[in-house]
Amino acid sequence: MTTIDPAAGNDVRGFLLMHDQIRAVVPEAARHVRALRPGDRRGARALVRWWAVFSRALHHHHTAEDTELWPRVLATAPEVAAQVRRLEAEHAPLDADLADVTAGLEGLGALAEPEFTPAAAQLAAALSRLDTYLRRHLAAEEDLLLPVMRHRIPAGDWAALEAALAKQGGSRDTAVLLPMFLAYSEPDRVASLREQLPAPIRVLHDLVLGPRYRRLLAALPAGGGPTTR
């Protein structure tokens, strides 16, 4: 986990929220797949719904990087263009990997022995490989981009970037994605995000969205993972 002092340069904790989530969710998904048992259709359906939330969040993250973040980084630091293009090119195969996991999860719920056990083991192994790949991708992004984002992009441009990113998600996305962000992020970043949320959204999360997400977590194989904050 990358530690950030928000008083030193632009506050990039919002950007890192998704990285926290990726590092937590993918190995957690492998754990749930290993815990799933043949015939547990309820657990399989919950796992498909939970993974769909994550896939949607990661797709939004990649889109925001490609359309909003990279152009501003390159305008400020054109010397990193080759590295940025390489990182950008890694997004397409990641989307394909997410789709493959979704298909695998959907298929598990319909399998019985003897097909179930090898299929579940194969999917858990694929998730472990995806976890390794994503961690390398995230580390490369952070090493390259955080210095530019924090110290080279002017504060006014950074504020405009954050505003543009916020507009990409509507109320439906907030309802779906916010509880997972809060569940899987580091406490200081959670506190920062909650401070930025309008009061009605915080209340909605605490009374409706958070409890609903906890019910989804409780339906997952091998227990419910972290609690929402």
Side-chain angles (χ1 to χ4, degrees), residues 33-53:
V33 168
R34 293 188 184 99
L36 188 66
R37 294 294 176 259
D40 182 7
R41 292 181 179 273
R42 178 176 180 267
R45 287 194 300 268
L47 193 47
V48 168
R49 292 197 305 272
W50 178 72
W51 183 259
V53 175

Side-chain angles (χ1 to χ4, degrees), residues 39 47-48 53 59 76 83 85-86 92 98 120 128 132 137 156 212 216 220:
L47 193 47
V48 168
V53 175
H59 177 73
T76 304
Q83 297 98 310
R85 298 307 178 211
R86 176 177 55 80
L98 292 174
S128 295
T132 299
H137 176 82
R212 184 171 66 193
L216 175 59
L220 295 173

Side-chain angles (χ1 to χ4, degrees), residues 92-171:
L94 285 175
D95 287 341
D97 289 338
L98 292 174
D100 288 345
V101 171
T102 298
L105 291 173
E106 291 173 345
L108 279 182
L111 293 179
E113 294 293 13
E115 293 85 0
F116 176 89
T117 295
Q122 184 178 15
L123 182 55
L127 281 162
S128 295
R129 291 192 298 271
L130 179 59
D131 179 44
T132 299
Y133 182 80
L134 281 168
R135 287 176 184 274
R136 185 169 60 246
H137 176 82
L138 297 178
E141 278 192 352
E142 291 171 3
D143 289 344
L144 177 68
L145 299 178
L146 288 181
V148 178
M149 294 163 62
R150 294 180 65 203
H151 302 299
R152 295 185 60 182
I153 296 178
D157 290 349
W158 182 254
L161 171 61
E162 290 191 313
L165 296 178
K167 289 181 180 178
Q168 286 195 353
S171 59

